[in-house]
Amino acid sequence: MRRNKNKEIKLIFALLTVIFLVFLAIPVARLLMKSFVLDGTGEFTIDNYRSVLTSRGFLRAVSNSFLVSCCSAVVTTVLAFFLAYSIHYTNLGKKYKSMISKVAVLPMLLPTITYGFAIIYSFGKQGLLTRLFGRQLFEIYGFNGLLLGYVIYTLPVSFMLINNTMGYIDKKFMIVSRLMGDSAFQTFRITILRPLLGTLAASFIQTFFLCFTDFGIPASVGGRFDVVASVLYAQMLGSIPNFGNGAVVALIMLIPSIVSITILHILEKYNVRYNRISAIELKKNKGRDIFCGVVSGAIMLSVVSIFAVIFVVPFVSEWPYNVTFTLEHVKAVFEDNALFSVYTNSLMVAAATALLGTLMAYGGALITARSTVNQKLKNAIESIALITNTIPGMVIGLAYLFSFSGTSLQNTFAIIIICNTIHFFSTPYLMMKSSLEKMNASWETTAMLMGDNWVKTILRVVTPNACSTLLEVFSYYFVNSMVTISAVIFIAGTRTMVITTKIKELQYYNKFNEIFVLSLLILFTNAVSKYIFQKLAEKSQRKEKIINMNKFKKSQAKKAAVIGLAVLTGVTAIGMTGCGKGKDEQVIIYSNADDEAVESMKHALDNNGYEGQYVFQTFGTSELGGKLLAEGTNIEADMVTMSTFYVDSAQEQNKMFQDLTFDVKTLDEFPSYCAPITAQEGTIIVNTEMMKENNLEMPKSLKDLAEPEYKGFISVTDVASSSTAWLLIQGLVSEYGEDGAKDVLKGIYENAGDHIEDSGSAPLKKVRAGEVAIGFGLRQQAVADKEEGLPIDFVDPEEGNFTLTESVAVVDKGEQSNPKAMEMAQCIIENGREELQSYYPVALYEGETTDAENLSGNPKTFGEPLTVDLLKEHQELSEECK
């Protein structure tokens, strides 16, 4: 019987080994190889390492990451310790202690990228708390915002670690210490602090590592305080991507992982374990209880108040100008199939991840806790758990991008589910292992004597007794899959987009109402799911621990196994398909266009018989440009609308677009593979109310923006991530030459401070929200805001209104090309231009005219052809000025 048992255990081990080999070891190895390959040539080299380590700002970003991560880890561990102490070592009421536990884990129910937006709308210049207090409490961008966001993010993890360990400290030693005459501090140090040293150190390491590798919070409140996670994102999805450099950055991010594994292993010997836990009556101390109650209440209030804005902003008409109650924003999300579909995608991915992950964690725990196999096999599972506990999500996602691009797994639900399962494996495995180790070790022997094999024993006895832990593991996987972004951002496709990647997309357009509504959906879903699984787990724990094997029907066990296998097979099949619709049914359109342009194109398609036959996915200019240059014809899209210079460069490099099969009569000459859809002009945008409040003079030129009086009142975009910024730089270079442009740009960046944005529409949104008084953005958006009656005006700069065109192009995928893509491109050009021109009034085609009222004051064209190479030159110029 033992031979058979080991055979079955070894089969489980083999399955887990194959999974982790294919979906962890090989991708990380591919990542390592990629770091030694020079982009474009395939040449083996160490130049990528030299380039990254000597690049301007990288070492600063690494040191920034260490600084803010260390500070956050210390603050979080102290706060978590205090909250746990209030629960275990005070006489506060049970309901109050229960509230502490619930509020402490509240942030884990929301994605980290939402924390940054909540901080902006709480503590920003027009934030909810700022308006309540009558002034801004502190500067939210950079170190301050990151510290606050990281503390909120990591508090649940730290609290759960410390709170769980405190529950296993034997309190009788407090009495012994007092009887021996120890002072209060000595008693505290010996009986509480000493047994927790290992856990406190583990808390610091875990929280440090989470901060060091997080991308969501820096994406929203990082400002100019660069961190290594942002550098990795910029290298991989920046306007000019460098996969080799990105691989180097990812591997450097693994260094803390290796250190963490080593330290956590060493800390194991400092863990104090008690044979039994004695229940004692805590010493009455009213001062202690009041102090702990007030401070823990202040911590809870701080956490809740930051997230309170999520329940306010989506329900007002226009924050902060019109705060009347409305449900329009909520209705808009639920009526938008594209937005609501990402919610259903997230539910499916979370459920499938939870099911597959629970099976894997259970299988791994059975090997280490309920088998007699060789200790080396057990150590292998333990090592896998340690590795997955510390490897950054961004590194896993990037490794998957390199390993599975161009395969049948690319852009499918399956790859997202597998990624999440691997990423979160450690904690569920440890939960299962702890539970199984506490069960009666003789059950398998008893079952063997009764004639049952190992599988029957697991199904009939062990599994029913582990039901509560299985439910907790399922809940853990589900919640974390709903909120994760760091890994999936690299591997989600248009049809497989989940709610967190959609929030990242909405960030580029500063659609905070939609972001907060989707965040509320995540919060509500996770809260309900945790409640349901907690109740089911409690119900399971109340049942009899030992199941009478003779009364358990074999058919029930077999039925449960068949149902579980069927569900797993079903969700995997769905994931492998990516979605329920094939290419013949829907055209995938990638676009960097703004809201108005996307809606105009949708109207043209819907009104001409193409409704429901396409899917739009929008990107920032740098992200989409990077994908075009890096992926070529392997790109998921069938059609793109993109800045023309990027289309030209992508065609030159990858030969990826078809010649258009319809005639276009443009005023200027365009290549045969694209046709212009819009022409966008840059201008200076101002908030008239803020200008008056701060006694600021209206600027007349871009050069004026470098004047000291505007310090802290300006927002501009970064040319490394947005083509809108290029309109500003073209104006400066054209008027003052490169050296003169540098002098002016340095002053503008100095005045902008943390308001150098990634999105072209961000400066306008910040001007509109009252975060700054002046911004540089797209002229037509400012015109529209002014016409709507918002306190927005614009100034056409003396240096000129420069223009960028955006064009439509159809991807050439050979026999796999979607014929409808060409039809839709023609439809947009022939039927969408009238509405597009109402927002972007520049004439592009024969027969079009520009409305005199919308003419810019000083239209100009840059003296050189706009290419990616020229963009790169101007990016380098920009970097020198920061």
Side-chain angles (χ1 to χ4, degrees):
M1 186 64 62
R2 177 172 295 179
R3 186 183 299 122
N4 290 337
K5 179 176 67 174
N6 285 346
K7 182 179 179 181
E8 291 149 351
I9 282 289
K10 287 177 181 177
L11 177 60
I12 295 175
F13 176 81
L15 288 173
L16 289 177
T17 301
V18 170
I19 291 173
F20 282 103
L21 177 65
V22 174
F23 295 107
L24 183 62
I26 292 177
V28 172
R30 287 285 300 273
L31 182 67
L32 176 63
M33 293 173 59
K34 192 71 176 178
S35 69
F36 289 102
V37 175
L38 195 63
D39 277 9
T41 66
E43 178 186 350
F44 185 84
T45 178
I46 62 170
D47 285 349
N48 294 329
Y49 285 87
R50 185 182 298 112
S51 173
V52 169
L53 295 176
T54 60
S55 63
R56 185 176 181 270
F58 176 73
L59 293 180
R60 183 179 69 246
V62 173
S63 64
N64 285 347
S65 290
F66 273 99
L67 173 63
V68 72
S69 298
C70 284
C71 293
S72 302
V74 170
V75 173
T76 301
T77 300
V78 170
L79 294 179
F81 175 86
F82 192 90
L83 293 176
Y85 181 88
S86 299
I87 292 174
H88 291 281
Y89 290 94
T90 70
N91 291 312
L92 297 171
K94 288 184 179 180
K95 290 185 178 180
Y96 193 77
K97 290 182 178 181
S98 176
M99 186 186 301
I100 293 176
S101 298
K102 288 182 173 60
V103 173
V105 299
L106 173 66
M108 72 182 297
L109 304 182
L110 283 164
T112 58
I113 196 168
T114 301
Y115 302 170
F117 304 139
I119 291 171
I120 292 172
Y121 271 74
S122 295
F123 296 102
K125 292 181 180 178
Q126 297 295 332
L128 179 62
L129 296 179
T130 300
R131 292 167 73 89
L132 290 175
F133 283 100
R135 64 182 183 87
Q136 188 173 20
L137 301 179
F138 56 88
E139 177 56 50
I140 61 173
Y141 297 98
F143 180 85
N144 293 338
L146 290 175
L147 179 65
L148 180 59
Y150 285 154
V151 169
I152 297 170
Y153 167 41
T154 56
L155 182 63
V157 175
S158 180
F159 171 78
M160 287 189 292
L161 277 171
I162 298 172
N163 186 55
N164 180 65
T165 304
M166 270 194 185
Y168 289 97
I169 293 178
D170 194 341
K171 296 182 177 63
K172 73 180 180 182
F173 289 100
M174 296 178 66
I175 299 175
V176 175
S177 178
R178 287 198 293 267
L179 291 175
M180 292 180 66
D182 291 337
S183 65
F185 176 76
Q186 287 176 316
T187 299
F188 170 79
R189 180 176 59 84
I190 295 170
T191 65
I192 300 176
L193 202 57
R194 173 64 184 85
L196 278 173
L197 281 179
T199 301
L200 292 174
S203 169
F204 176 86
I205 292 171
Q206 291 277 47
T207 52
F208 168 87
F209 188 75
L210 288 171
C211 297
F212 188 83
T213 60
D214 177 67
F215 165 73
I217 297 170
S220 47
V221 294
R224 298 182 71 179
F225 194 85
D226 293 331
V227 293
V228 69
S230 300
V231 173
L232 174 59
Y233 186 83
Q235 289 287 352
M236 294 307 304
L237 294 176
S239 55
I240 305 176
N242 189 316
F243 281 4
N245 286 3
V248 172
V249 177
L251 289 171
I252 291 174
M253 290 180 72
L254 281 177
I255 295 176
S257 303
I258 299 170
V259 175
S260 298
I261 292 172
T262 305
I263 295 177
L264 288 172
H265 182 72
I266 295 173
L267 290 174
E268 277 292 314
K269 65 182 180 180
Y270 291 100
N271 288 334
V272 177
R273 295 175 174 86
Y274 298 95
N275 293 326
R276 62 192 183 95
I277 309 301
S278 305
I280 67 168
E281 183 178 348
L282 292 172
K283 182 180 179 181
K284 293 183 179 180
N285 187 326
K286 192 173 181 180
R288 174 201 63 195
D289 293 346
I290 292 175
F291 176 75
C292 290
V294 170
V295 176
S296 59
I299 296 172
M300 288 191 292
L301 181 62
S302 299
V303 172
V304 172
S305 63
I306 292 173
F307 291 112
V309 70
I310 299 176
F311 294 89
V312 176
V313 172
F315 300 100
V316 300
S317 296
E318 180 70 36
W319 183 272
Y321 302 109
N322 184 358
V323 294
T324 56
F325 177 79
T326 182
L327 290 174
E328 290 303 314
H329 303 308
V330 178
K331 290 179 181 177
V333 170
F334 281 91
E335 290 173 357
D336 187 332
N337 292 331
L339 286 179
F340 193 67
S341 66
V342 299
Y343 174 65
T344 57
N345 286 352
S346 293
L347 288 178
M348 191 281 291
V349 167
T353 298
L355 178 59
L356 179 60
T358 301
L359 291 175
M360 288 177 57
Y362 193 27
L366 286 172
I367 294 172
T368 54
R370 307 294 300 186
S371 76
T372 58
V373 296
N374 189 294
Q375 186 63 37
K376 291 182 179 179
L377 299 185
K378 296 184 178 183
N379 290 341
I381 299 296
E382 292 286 321
S383 299
I384 289 172
L386 272 175
I387 292 170
T388 57
N389 187 46
T390 54
I391 191 168
M394 290 187 77
V395 174
I396 296 178
L398 188 55
Y400 278 28
L401 178 67
F402 290 148
S403 299
F404 302 111
S405 292
T407 70
S408 58
L409 284 173
Q410 183 181 4
N411 299 318
T412 62
F413 287 124
I415 196 64
I416 299 176
I417 293 166
I418 294 169
C419 179
N420 288 341
T421 303
I422 299 294
H423 185 198
F424 301 118
F425 175 77
S426 179
T427 299
Y429 160 75
L430 294 174
M431 292 166 64
M432 284 305 322
K433 178 188 174 187
S434 176
S435 175
L436 294 178
E437 285 177 338
K438 294 175 183 176
M439 295 180 186
N440 193 320
S442 64
W443 283 345
E444 286 88 341
T445 303
T446 304
M448 181 181 66
L449 295 174
M450 294 177 65
D452 281 346
N453 60 30
W454 182 81
V455 173
K456 290 181 179 179
T457 306
I458 295 300
L459 290 175
R460 294 179 178 185
V461 183
V462 178
T463 300
N465 281 282
C467 187
S468 61
T469 306
L470 286 169
L471 288 168
E472 290 175 6
V473 167
F474 192 95
S475 175
Y476 179 90
Y477 263 120
F478 184 91
V479 169
N480 280 278
S481 297
M482 287 292 293
V483 302
T484 186
I485 184 174
S486 58
V488 298
I489 197 168
F490 289 106
I491 56 178
T494 300
R495 297 188 181 105
T496 58
M497 183 176 287
V498 292
I499 203 165
T500 49
T501 57
K502 188 65 178 180
I503 288 175
K504 179 66 179 73
E505 177 187 335
L506 293 172
Q507 177 201 1
Y508 277 103
Y509 301 100
N510 291 271
K511 295 183 178 180
F512 291 111
N513 291 318
E514 290 88 343
I515 287 172
F516 287 147
V517 172
L518 291 178
S519 298
L520 286 175
L521 273 177
I522 295 178
L523 177 62
F524 176 78
T525 301
N526 284 339
V528 170
S529 65
K530 280 190 69 69
Y531 177 80
I532 292 173
F533 289 122
Q534 182 179 349
K535 290 300 179 184
L536 289 174
E538 290 174 355
K539 183 178 179 180
S540 176
Q541 287 175 339
R542 289 194 294 266
K543 290 183 178 180
E544 186 177 359
K545 290 288 183 181
I546 301 177
I547 307 298
N548 188 324
M549 291 182 290
N550 294 326
K551 292 183 180 181
F552 191 89
K553 296 180 180 180
K554 296 181 180 180
S555 59
Q556 291 177 322
K558 291 180 179 178
K559 186 177 179 181
V562 170
I563 292 174
L565 182 60
V567 173
L568 179 59
T569 303
V571 296
T572 303
I574 293 173
M576 288 296 290
T577 63
C579 71
K581 298 183 179 180
K583 281 192 171 184
D584 291 339
E585 296 181 38
Q586 286 189 313
V587 171
I588 296 178
I589 304 173
Y590 279 4
S591 177
N592 75 323
D594 293 306
D595 297 348
E596 302 89 353
V598 170
E599 289 304 311
S600 298
M601 287 186 280
K602 286 181 177 179
H603 293 160
L605 294 173
D606 292 346
N607 294 335
N608 289 276
Y610 293 107
E611 185 173 1
Q613 298 182 43
Y614 62 89
V615 180
F616 255 99
Q617 182 171 346
T618 52
F619 298 86
T621 301
S622 63
E623 280 188 326
L624 182 51
K627 290 179 75 68
L628 290 173
L629 296 175
E631 297 180 12
T633 55
N634 287 327
I635 200 167
E636 182 188 21
D638 300 301
M639 182 175 79
V640 299
T641 75
M642 179 58 173
S643 300
T644 307
F645 70 89
Y646 261 124
V647 175
D648 291 339
S649 296
Q651 177 69 357
E652 182 180 353
Q653 176 177 310
N654 299 319
K655 302 295 186 289
M656 61 183 294
F657 299 118
Q658 302 178 33
D659 283 343
L660 300 181
T661 58
F662 53 93
D663 293 331
V664 291
K665 298 180 179 180
T666 55
L667 295 175
D668 296 320
E669 186 176 348
F670 279 82
S672 60
Y673 49 81
C674 68
I677 55 172
T678 62
Q680 304 180 357
E681 295 178 298
T683 196
I684 299 171
I685 306 168
V686 297
N687 182 311
T688 54
E689 291 184 355
M690 284 200 70
M691 296 292 286
K692 291 179 181 177
E693 289 175 7
N694 295 280
N695 297 317
L696 296 174
E697 291 186 10
M698 194 72 73
K700 297 179 181 179
S701 65
L702 299 176
K703 189 174 183 179
D704 288 347
L705 302 183
E707 295 297 326
E709 65 181 286
Y710 297 119
K711 186 176 179 63
F713 292 103
I714 292 176
S715 177
V716 296
T717 49
D718 189 347
V719 72
S721 55
S722 172
S723 58
T724 302
W726 203 10
L727 297 171
L728 182 147
I729 292 178
Q730 286 178 43
L732 294 177
V733 173
S734 179
E735 184 72 19
Y736 307 111
E738 289 196 2
D739 291 337
K742 288 179 183 179
D743 293 336
V744 177
L745 197 56
K746 286 178 183 178
I748 292 175
Y749 284 163
E750 178 67 24
N751 288 344
D754 291 316
H755 297 293
I756 302 176
E757 312 293 343
D758 292 332
S759 165
S761 59
L764 170 64
K765 299 296 175 68
K766 288 202 169 179
V767 170
R768 182 189 295 167
E771 283 291 302
V772 296
I774 304 170
F776 183 88
L778 298 181
R779 190 176 188 277
Q780 74 278 357
Q781 293 179 331
V783 171
D785 275 7
K786 183 177 180 180
E787 290 178 351
E788 288 182 13
L790 295 177
I792 301 297
D793 204 347
F794 57 92
V795 177
D796 291 327
E798 294 176 351
E799 292 87 351
N801 301 100
F802 285 78
T803 304
L804 284 174
T805 60
E806 293 184 352
S807 295
V808 63
V810 178
V811 180
D812 186 357
K813 297 185 177 182
E815 294 180 356
Q816 296 183 345
S817 297
N818 193 323
K820 289 183 180 179
M822 189 66 70
E823 297 175 14
M824 293 185 187
Q826 183 175 359
C827 178
I828 288 172
I829 297 301
E830 294 180 354
N831 302 292
R833 275 294 299 162
E834 183 177 353
E835 184 176 349
L836 284 167
Q837 203 176 7
S838 67
Y839 297 108
Y840 307 87
V842 178
L844 295 173
Y845 290 86
E846 294 178 7
E848 293 181 348
T849 58
T850 303
D851 186 350
E853 294 182 2
N854 290 324
L855 280 173
S856 58
N858 193 11
K860 283 189 178 181
T861 302
F862 196 69
E864 298 179 48
L866 303 183
T867 64
V868 170
D869 289 336
L870 180 62
L871 172 62
K872 188 173 182 180
E873 291 179 17
H874 286 174
Q875 286 179 343
E876 293 172 354
L877 181 152
S878 172
E879 288 300 313
E880 292 179 21
C881 299
K882 291 180 180 177

